[in-house]
């Protein structure tokens, strides 16, 4: 188990599976929208080779959260085509107070300063493993 400390706060670092699921949750709506416009079935997404290049701890609603940036490989399975591509990611995730679940945080503004205390967030449960 990895812990990071910043701003006088210690937090458990998310495992790779949590990060992969958070990335998939963030990008999946775009692929669904595109497939609807193309009148295609949504592609099967697989996120692999996650490389975290930068991480920092921020505070959201009095709990530590991670701002993670890096790259991943997306593998798309379309009806007649497979597609693999390396992509950058920029996500915010937070472990809940009970430490049983993680949430993907999406800022509701284009403000580039997540340390702004007036910043509002949308929060989505990252599905636990089956």
């Amino acid at each position: 188990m990895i812990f990071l400390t910043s701003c006088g706060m210690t937090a458990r670092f998310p495992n790779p599976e949590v990060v992969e699921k958070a990335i998939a949750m963030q990008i999946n709506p775009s692929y669904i929208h595109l497939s609807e416009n193309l009148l295609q079935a949504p592609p099967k997404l697989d996120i692999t080779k996650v490389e975290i290049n930068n991480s920092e701890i921020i505070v959201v609603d009095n709990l530590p959260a991670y701002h993670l940036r890096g790259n991943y490989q997306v593998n798309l399975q379309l009806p007649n085509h497979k597609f693999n591509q390396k992509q950058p990611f920029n996500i915010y995730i937070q472990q809940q107070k009970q430490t049983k679940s993680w949430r993907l945080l999406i800022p509701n503004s284009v403000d580039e300063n997540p340390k702004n205390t007036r910043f509002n967030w949308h929060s989505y449960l990252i599905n636990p493993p089956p």
Side-chain angles (χ1 to χ4, degrees), residues 25 61 94 96 102-106 121-125:
M25 286 175 65
D61 293 333
Q94 180 181 61
Q96 297 306 281
W102 288 85
R103 298 190 71 86
L104 172 64
L105 303 176
I106 307 286
W121 300 87
H122 296 283
S123 171
Y124 303 93
L125 179 66

Side-chain angles (χ1 to χ4, degrees), residues 34-102:
L34 179 61
S35 64
E36 288 171 353
N37 286 338
L38 296 174
L39 302 175
Q40 297 277 332
K44 181 181 178 229
L45 286 175
D46 186 31
I47 305 299
T48 61
K49 300 181 182 176
V50 174
E51 301 168 357
I52 298 172
N53 300 325
N54 186 288
S55 66
E56 69 176 317
I57 297 176
I58 62 171
V59 178
V60 176
D61 293 333
N62 297 317
L63 290 173
Y66 284 98
H67 179 199
L68 304 175
R69 285 174 272 183
N71 297 295
Y72 65 94
Q73 182 166 317
V74 62
N75 304 305
L76 296 174
Q77 178 68 48
L78 300 168
N80 298 317
H81 186 68
K82 277 187 176 179
F83 179 73
N84 300 316
Q85 187 174 18
K86 188 173 182 176
Q87 296 284 335
F89 71 88
N90 182 13
I91 62 170
Y92 298 88
I93 58 178
Q94 180 181 61
Q95 189 173 36
Q96 297 306 281
K97 195 172 192 174
Q98 299 81 10
T99 71
K100 294 179 183 176
S101 62
W102 288 85

